[in-house]
Amino acid sequence: MLRVGSKAACMGCRNLVSSNMGVRVRVPLQKLHSLSCAIHHRYSRNTTTQRPPHRTAARYFTSMSRLPMQPPKPHPGSGGHSYQQQRSFWVARLAARLLRLRYILLGTAVGGGYTAKKTYDEWKDMLPDFSEYNWVIPDFVWELSEQIDLDKLAKALPEMEEIAKLLPDLDKIGQNFTFLKSLLSSGVSLGSEVKGASGLHLLLETSGGPSLKATDSSAATTHDVSDKQYKKSSDKEKTDQLQEELLRTQLKYQRMLERLEKENKELRKVVLQKDDKGIHQRKVKKSLIDMYSEVLDILSDYDANYNTQDHLPRVVVVGDQSAGKTSVLEMIAQARIFPRGSGEMMTRSPVKVTLSEGPHHVAMFKDSGREFDLNKEEDLAALRREIELRMRKSVKEGQTVSAETISLNVKGPGIQRMVLVDLPGVISTVTTGMATDTKETIFSMSKAYMQNPNAIILCIQDGSIDAERSIVTDLVSQMDPQGKRTIFVLTKVDLAEKNLASPSRIQQIVEGKLFPMKALGYFAVVTGKGSSGESIDSIKEYEEDFFQNSRLLRDGMLKAHQVTTKNLSLAVSDCFWKMVRESVEQQADVFKASRFNLETEWKNNYPRLRELDRNELFEKAKNEILDEVISLSQVTPQHWEAILQKKLWERVSTHVIENIYLPAAQTTDSGTFNTTVDIKLKQWTDKQLPHKALEVAWETLQEEFARFIAEYRGKDQDDIFDKLKEAVKDESIKRHKWNERAMDSLRVIQHNALEDRSITDKPQWDAAIQFMEETLQSRLKDTESVIRDMVGPDWKERWLHWRSRTPDQHIRNETKNELDRLLKLHDDHTAYLANDEVTTVRKNLEGRTVEVDPILIKDTWHQLYRRHFLQKALTHCNLCKRGFYYYQRHFVDSELECSDVVLFWRIQRMLGITANTLRQQLTNTEVRRLEKNVKEVLDDFGEDMEKKTQLITGRRVQLAEDLKKVREIQEKLEAFIEALHKEK
């Protein structure tokens, strides 16, 4: 065998080989060599024009391949040599044929492969891109997909025979189409049957069957051209049978679809449950919708206090009151979670509902750890009560609605992921019991949510009432005039179909031709029969049955994709995520710029201070206040007793002098004096003294507490805490109550102290005299001041300071002079003037042309006698300084009868013992109780954000708060965007 391309013996062989490079020819070497040589020598002799030898040989080789394959007969007389040449040409022809066949097969294979690849690429380009819908399946499904037993899954799916039973009879449908074609081509007008054909067209489109557009156009043409009589009853019956058969086919498809969806839902639930069990073995990964909801929760608090607007997408549900907003939201959430009422306003504050997929159908509030099982009726009832309670709690006194948002998370299998905000229904009239500004408040609240350029407006319209009575459509058209982010929902379509005389009006509504507002899409839904006890499953079944039998769908007034809450939730979810992907990065950039501005302001104004927000500042102030309270326990006992004794005497001194000492001193002997003192002291101890002592102790504790706070305030403390400290001090004092049992024990101690009359040593005697002398001098000074005010300035003041007396002061001065003369004449006069003495003084004054009233004379006498008595008491006090010897020996001397000194000693001793008792109670009990009250007040203030906002104020605080919120929002947005990109 010869490999073409190898060396040949002659020039012809080399030319032939080079012209067929790379082709394997299975020809004997000797025969091929002789053939090539013959061709070379023949053409070299007979050809006048020189041609390249390899081209000549190739062409000749090709021409020989077209010759018949029978070997030629040998020429007579040619001999064996001629026969050998003929045999060689026959072999060459056979080789050429074989080479040609190989080329044909090779070309066919290459061309067929290229055509198949091109056809595959064309089909691949025609298929839709499903990569955008990868987010529908969570990441963990892909992770667990390898763990799923595919054999079991395949066994769970229906057999092909069962699916084949559900498929329509194509032969029968073909016959029906042929029958319809004959009907339409016959030129007979169908009348009402044309409507049936249009409904048939819609049903075929919905069920995935062949389109009847050509049939519709043909029917329309036939109807316009000819106006003939109705068809025979048999033709009409056949048409009805065809329509019923198509409806049955659609129902079979729908049941098959529902069955597959149910099995898919159960499978996803199993997968989610497997993932839920593995949560404790691996780090918890938050879903996209949960991450997004956290950002919205932070923004709901932040945006109210700062001018940065929240433009992140969410679905805003607005509608007239009782239009079915809440029912639509419940159908999307697949649970009856909201409180219900007949005709009254139930939604009193915005409710943000975060919907996400999960293994169990549960609900949970943002600020609570309790999970409500939505498959249990008792949990559903408890959830509705909790929502209603939170709504009423958020409404301030005198208001009907509140702007405070209630955040609720709902998870369950098959729930579309999105964030919705249910707003109070728009009203046209304020009724009895509502606040006068309720209508304007709801309008402003709805506008505030809808003016967000990225908010999706879910406009709910009641289909059972006249469209002209709607208020919300005008409001929505003002916020979104182009309808680029509005989805219109017509509720209660079942009632609308019954009540409306012209069903085409419903068609005008869902086509956007009746209202001036525009929308992205129009939907018609049914949310039950109006009973609050209906379950979600029964409502879904009722809605599906209604639209399957409704002539609105059958007559083509509604499209299949425009009905049911299921289609609505899918459309809203798609629109929501599309808006999120388009706007979230832009919003992240906005908060990034806001963060830069705030950080620059902080660096310029507070370069040496840490960025402490309100909560951190409160914790710092809390520690300072507790340190100040602890400092109370470090006060020395001597300091406590000195303060208590001084304050107690200031409180009771007036009563002791006026009601005990002065009345007793008017007696003539010491026995009467002591008896009077004992009686009055007993009465005083039983009724007033313990109360006064406890009041003094409580006031002293307050003053010391305030003093320590003031001292700490001056030691380089932050003045931003002043309002907080003052509020904590006031509230703690207000809550503190003194131990009432201490009063009884204190009364006994004071009574025993006052009963003792024995002065044991000279220092105690001297201390009592000093105490008495200081007290009397203080009273004498006060009395002289009162007299000075009564009579006016003396002659020195009149001459030196140019002051003069008033007429009343002149009269009192004349009266004073007259009474002074009386006291000089009667040094031992009693405390009261007799009537004849008053008359004498009055007549004497009248003789000097001074008219005076008797009451004025007695008032003046009281002050003058008081001064006279105190002066005599001080003189006697000086005499008693040397009377301790007589007191100790019990000598009776009229000049040195010092019972008043003993009284002041008893009072002084009682004050010391009381101060010591109160000091022990303060340091052992009350200071600790006050510290406990301060801690309770601080804990209460720490839980009350409104209180902290009122007490910790200033630009520094607000700037730190904004910085913290902006950073948190930006970080969460960046984490959300990263997760969003991964999901893509």
Side-chain angles (χ1 to χ4, degrees):
M1 301 300 289
L2 174 66
R3 170 70 179 178
V4 178
S6 61
K7 293 183 178 180
C10 66
M11 189 66 178
C13 294
R14 286 197 299 269
N15 293 336
L16 179 62
V17 169
S18 63
S19 65
N20 296 279
M21 187 71 66
V23 181
R24 184 184 297 271
V25 183
R26 298 182 179 272
V27 184
L29 180 61
Q30 295 82 1
K31 294 181 179 179
L32 186 58
H33 176 69
S34 60
L35 176 63
S36 301
C37 291
I39 293 172
H40 175 70
H41 293 302
R42 180 180 177 184
Y43 274 88
S44 63
R45 291 196 307 268
N46 297 333
T47 306
T48 57
T49 306
Q50 295 296 324
R51 293 182 179 178
H54 64 277
R55 293 185 181 178
T56 304
R59 290 185 180 182
Y60 189 74
F61 192 87
T62 304
S63 66
M64 286 192 300
S65 66
R66 299 191 185 97
L67 296 177
M69 297 303 293
Q70 291 84 4
K73 295 180 180 181
H75 192 272
S78 60
H81 180 73
S82 177
Y83 176 76
Q84 184 69 26
Q85 283 187 341
Q86 292 178 359
R87 184 177 179 184
S88 299
F89 279 110
W90 181 83
V91 173
R93 285 197 299 270
L94 179 61
R97 290 286 181 96
L98 291 174
L99 288 173
R100 184 183 181 189
L101 180 61
R102 180 176 295 274
Y103 279 123
I104 291 172
L105 292 175
L106 180 62
T108 304
V110 173
Y114 175 76
T115 305
K117 182 178 183 304
K118 186 176 181 181
T119 305
Y120 169 75
D121 293 338
E122 291 177 356
W123 277 89
K124 186 177 179 182
D125 294 337
M126 292 171 61
L127 291 174
D129 186 8
F130 292 100
S131 61
E132 296 182 359
Y133 301 94
N134 288 341
W135 58 268
V136 175
I137 303 177
D139 296 338
F140 58 82
V141 175
W142 303 112
E143 297 173 3
L144 297 177
S145 59
E146 298 179 357
Q147 304 177 10
I148 299 175
D149 193 346
L150 296 180
D151 295 336
K152 294 183 179 179
L153 179 62
K155 292 179 181 179
L157 294 176
E159 300 292 340
M160 293 302 297
E161 297 177 357
E162 298 180 7
I163 298 176
K165 292 179 182 179
L166 297 175
L167 295 176
D169 190 349
L170 297 180
D171 296 335
K172 199 168 184 180
I173 291 177
Q175 295 175 4
N176 292 331
F177 273 110
T178 304
F179 169 71
L180 279 177
K181 186 175 180 182
S182 64
L183 283 179
L184 298 175
S185 61
S186 64
V188 179
S189 175
L190 298 182
S192 62
E193 285 76 9
V194 173
K195 297 182 180 179
S198 63
L200 180 63
H201 161 66
L202 176 61
L203 291 172
L204 282 174
E205 284 187 341
T206 306
S207 61
S211 175
L212 289 182
K213 292 182 179 178
T215 306
D216 290 341
S217 61
S218 176
T221 305
T222 306
H223 181 71
D224 294 337
V225 173
S226 62
D227 188 12
K228 297 181 180 181
Q229 298 179 351
Y230 290 99
K231 293 187 65 178
K232 294 180 181 180
S233 60
S234 59
D235 296 339
K236 183 176 180 181
E237 290 176 359
K238 197 167 184 180
T239 304
D240 294 339
Q241 290 176 0
L242 174 62
Q243 187 171 352
E244 290 176 0
E245 185 175 351
L246 289 174
L247 288 173
R248 287 195 297 271
T249 303
Q250 183 188 11
L251 290 176
K252 288 181 180 179
Y253 275 119
Q254 188 163 358
R255 289 170 186 166
M256 181 68 180
L257 181 62
E258 290 176 355
R259 179 183 171 187
L260 292 175
E261 285 181 349
K262 185 176 180 181
E263 292 176 355
N264 181 41
K265 184 177 179 180
E266 293 296 328
L267 179 60
R268 290 181 64 84
K269 184 175 180 180
V270 171
V271 173
L272 291 171
Q273 285 176 344
K274 287 183 178 179
D275 182 70
D276 192 39
K277 292 178 181 178
I279 282 179
H280 300 289
Q281 292 144 10
R282 60 186 175 89
K283 186 178 179 181
V284 178
K285 181 181 178 182
K286 290 184 180 179
S287 65
L288 268 179
I289 194 65
D290 291 335
M291 297 170 66
Y292 187 76
S293 179
E294 286 182 0
V295 176
L296 295 183
D297 288 335
I298 300 171
L299 280 172
S300 64
D301 299 331
Y302 170 76
D303 197 40
N305 301 322
Y306 197 67
N307 56 7
T308 299
Q309 293 182 344
D310 170 18
H311 288 167
L312 288 175
R314 74 257 288 156
V315 181
V316 180
V317 186
V318 295
D320 299 322
Q321 183 178 341
S322 302
K325 295 187 297 79
T326 303
S327 299
V328 171
L329 190 54
E330 287 180 336
M331 292 294 292
I332 295 175
Q334 301 180 16
R336 307 298 294 271
I337 58 178
F338 291 104
R340 315 187 68 81
S342 57
E344 60 176 326
M345 178 182 292
M346 298 304 298
T347 305
R348 297 180 177 270
S349 65
V351 181
K352 182 178 75 69
V353 183
T354 302
L355 302 178
S356 59
E357 193 172 24
H360 307 289
H361 202 185
V362 295
M364 180 187 298
F365 290 101
K366 178 190 74 171
D367 55 353
S368 174
R370 178 184 177 184
E371 277 191 351
F372 297 88
D373 190 348
L374 302 183
N375 295 319
K376 297 180 180 179
E377 188 58 37
E378 56 270 20
D379 279 21
L380 276 172
L383 177 61
R384 289 192 289 266
R385 287 194 300 270
E386 181 67 18
I387 293 176
E388 184 175 6
L389 180 64
R390 287 174 179 252
M391 285 183 180
R392 296 188 180 278
K393 186 178 179 180
S394 66
V395 177
K396 296 181 180 179
E397 186 176 357
Q399 299 294 321
T400 306
V401 294
S402 169
E404 183 178 341
T405 304
I406 299 173
S407 295
L408 181 68
N409 294 332
V410 178
K411 295 183 179 181
I415 294 180
Q416 299 299 318
R417 304 179 302 170
M418 67 185 92
V419 177
L420 303 100
V421 180
D422 186 23
L423 298 177
V426 179
I427 60 174
S428 58
T429 305
V430 177
T431 59
T432 304
M434 291 185 179
T436 56
D437 62 343
T438 301
K439 178 180 177 181
E440 291 76 14
T441 303
I442 296 176
F443 264 75
S444 61
M445 188 189 306
S446 301
K447 287 182 178 180
Y449 276 90
M450 288 190 292
Q451 70 183 2
N452 178 359
N454 297 320
I456 301 166
I457 304 173
L458 196 62
C459 180
I460 310 297
Q461 169 66 36
D462 190 348
S464 64
I465 63 173
D466 296 334
E468 291 77 9
R469 294 167 57 186
S470 175
I471 307 173
V472 71
T473 52
D474 294 336
L475 182 62
V476 172
S477 61
Q478 293 175 10
M479 296 291 103
D480 184 24
Q482 301 300 323
K484 295 182 179 180
R485 51 189 181 89
T486 300
I487 296 177
F488 181 85
V489 182
L490 185 68
T491 61
K492 306 178 184 179
V493 183
D494 52 341
L495 299 179
E497 186 182 34
K498 293 179 183 178
N499 299 338
L500 290 179
S502 175
S504 61
R505 190 172 176 86
I506 298 177
Q507 184 179 6
Q508 292 178 344
I509 294 176
V510 297
E511 289 179 354
K513 298 179 180 179
L514 189 63
F515 294 111
M517 64 170 288
K518 299 178 182 179
L520 282 173
Y522 297 84
F523 289 86
V525 299
V526 175
T527 55
K529 301 178 182 179
S531 173
S532 60
E534 290 180 286
S535 64
I536 294 295
D537 293 335
S538 63
I539 295 175
K540 284 183 180 179
E541 184 178 354
Y542 173 72
E543 183 184 41
E544 292 172 357
D545 292 342
F546 168 76
F547 283 116
Q548 287 173 6
N549 302 319
S550 173
R551 61 193 182 102
L552 296 173
L553 195 64
R554 192 167 57 244
D555 295 347
M557 297 182 185
L558 296 177
K559 301 295 189 297
H561 67 274
Q562 289 182 308
V563 299
T564 71
T565 51
K566 180 180 179 181
N567 290 336
L568 171 64
S569 62
L570 289 171
V572 173
S573 178
D574 289 342
C575 187
F576 169 76
W577 284 106
K578 180 181 178 183
M579 190 73 76
V580 167
R581 290 184 173 90
E582 291 175 353
S583 61
V584 67
E585 293 188 3
Q586 180 182 359
Q587 290 300 306
D589 293 338
V590 171
F591 281 101
K592 186 176 182 180
S594 177
R595 174 180 176 176
F596 175 78
N597 295 335
L598 293 172
E599 287 177 344
T600 304
E601 183 180 352
W602 183 274
K603 290 177 183 177
N604 293 333
N605 295 323
Y606 312 103
R608 297 184 179 180
L609 295 177
R610 288 194 303 129
E611 298 169 5
L612 300 179
D613 61 10
R614 186 170 279 109
N615 291 328
E616 292 170 335
L617 287 172
F618 179 81
E619 290 300 322
K620 182 180 178 183
K622 179 179 179 180
N623 294 330
E624 290 185 6
I625 294 172
L626 292 176
D627 290 341
E628 294 163 8
V629 175
I630 293 175
S631 299
L632 284 174
S633 60
Q634 300 176 0
V635 178
T636 61
Q638 294 80 7
H639 181 73
W640 277 121
E641 293 182 10
I643 295 176
L644 289 169
Q645 188 169 349
K646 178 181 178 182
K647 288 186 173 296
L648 182 58
W649 176 241
E650 290 176 356
R651 183 67 58 88
V652 302
S653 60
T654 302
H655 180 84
V656 171
I657 299 298
E658 302 295 334
N659 299 327
I660 299 177
Y661 174 64
L662 289 179
Q666 304 301 320
T667 59
T668 56
D669 54 17
S670 60
T672 308
F673 177 87
N674 291 331
T675 302
T676 305
V677 166
D678 291 341
I679 294 173
K680 291 187 176 294
L681 286 177
K682 182 69 168 59
Q683 295 174 351
W684 183 45
T685 306
D686 292 339
K687 296 180 180 180
Q688 299 181 12
L689 182 57
H691 294 280
K692 296 290 183 182
L694 292 181
E695 289 177 4
V696 167
W698 178 223
E699 291 176 3
T700 304
L701 180 61
Q702 297 179 35
E703 291 176 2
E704 288 297 301
F705 183 35
R707 182 175 65 85
F708 275 101
I709 291 179
E711 288 180 357
Y712 271 86
R713 191 181 305 166
K715 295 179 180 178
D716 297 331
Q717 295 296 314
D718 203 335
D719 57 356
I720 205 170
F721 302 143
D722 291 349
K723 291 174 64 176
L724 175 63
K725 291 182 177 181
E726 192 67 24
V728 170
K729 183 195 73 173
D730 294 342
E731 184 65 23
S732 302
I733 291 172
K734 182 179 178 181
R735 294 186 184 184
H736 187 84
K737 294 186 182 300
W738 203 274
N739 189 359
E740 295 181 355
R741 292 179 298 177
M743 186 179 296
D744 297 332
S745 59
L746 182 61
R747 180 182 292 109
V748 175
I749 292 172
Q750 291 173 337
H751 182 73
N752 294 335
L754 291 173
E755 285 291 328
D756 189 5
R757 297 192 185 94
S758 59
I759 303 176
T760 58
D761 53 13
K762 186 69 164 61
Q764 293 183 8
W765 181 270
D766 294 339
I769 291 179
Q770 182 181 359
F771 175 59
M772 177 180 174
E773 186 176 8
E774 291 175 354
T775 303
L776 294 178
Q777 286 178 351
S778 174
R779 293 295 166 176
L780 178 60
K781 185 177 179 180
D782 295 338
T783 304
E784 289 179 347
S785 176
V786 172
I787 295 173
R788 191 181 304 111
D789 293 337
M790 289 172 57
V791 301
D794 55 6
W795 64 272
K796 290 182 179 180
E797 292 180 353
R798 291 199 303 271
W799 282 97
L800 295 176
H801 301 286
W802 295 89
R803 293 179 180 177
S804 61
R805 292 173 177 159
T806 62
D808 184 63
Q809 289 176 343
H810 178 70
I811 295 173
R812 285 189 176 273
N813 184 60
E814 294 294 333
T815 307
K816 168 185 167 295
N817 295 333
E818 188 67 27
L819 293 174
D820 281 340
R821 286 192 289 268
L822 180 61
L823 279 174
K824 288 179 181 180
L825 294 174
H826 306 282
D827 186 63
D828 295 331
H829 201 287
T830 60
Y832 301 99
L833 282 175
N835 291 331
D836 55 349
E837 292 176 330
V838 173
T839 303
T840 303
V841 171
R842 183 178 180 184
K843 288 182 177 180
N844 293 335
L845 292 174
E846 288 178 354
R848 295 196 294 268
T849 66
V850 177
E851 295 291 336
V852 64
D853 187 72
I855 297 176
L856 186 143
I857 297 173
K858 291 182 179 180
D859 291 341
T860 307
W861 168 258
H862 176 73
Q863 297 299 331
L864 293 176
Y865 180 81
R866 182 186 182 87
R867 182 183 63 177
H868 175 69
F869 174 79
L870 291 174
Q871 290 173 348
K872 288 177 60 177
L874 280 172
T875 303
H876 182 68
C877 181
N878 289 328
L879 293 175
C880 289
K881 288 181 180 180
R882 52 187 178 85
F884 177 71
Y885 175 78
Y886 297 97
Y887 166 78
Q888 197 173 26
R889 298 295 187 272
H890 300 287
F891 291 157
V892 179
D893 188 346
S894 59
E895 291 185 0
L896 294 178
E897 185 64 37
C898 298
S899 299
D900 47 0
V901 176
V902 177
L903 170 63
F904 277 94
W905 178 81
R906 295 166 67 184
I907 298 295
Q908 187 181 34
R909 184 168 180 272
M910 182 273 299
L911 292 175
I913 293 175
T914 303
N916 181 269
T917 304
L918 294 176
R919 189 267 306 167
Q920 293 180 10
Q921 187 174 358
L922 281 173
T923 55
N924 296 336
T925 306
E926 302 304 329
V927 171
R928 295 179 182 177
R929 293 180 63 233
L930 178 62
E931 183 179 354
K932 182 180 178 181
N933 289 338
V934 171
K935 289 181 179 179
E936 292 177 355
V937 171
L938 287 171
D939 291 340
D940 293 343
F941 284 4
E943 296 175 358
D944 191 350
M945 194 62 199
E946 184 178 354
K947 199 75 173 178
K948 288 191 287 188
T949 305
Q950 293 175 356
L951 298 176
I952 304 178
T953 58
R955 178 56 187 164
R956 169 187 156 194
V957 182
Q958 191 60 48
L959 188 59
E961 284 281 306
D962 295 337
L963 263 173
K964 178 185 176 183
K965 289 289 180 65
V966 169
R967 284 180 182 143
E968 187 176 5
I969 293 170
Q970 184 190 357
E971 290 171 0
K972 289 187 178 294
L973 275 177
E974 290 176 353
F976 171 75
I977 292 171
E978 183 180 356
L980 189 65
H981 289 165
K982 288 182 179 179
E983 190 179 69
K984 286 183 180 180

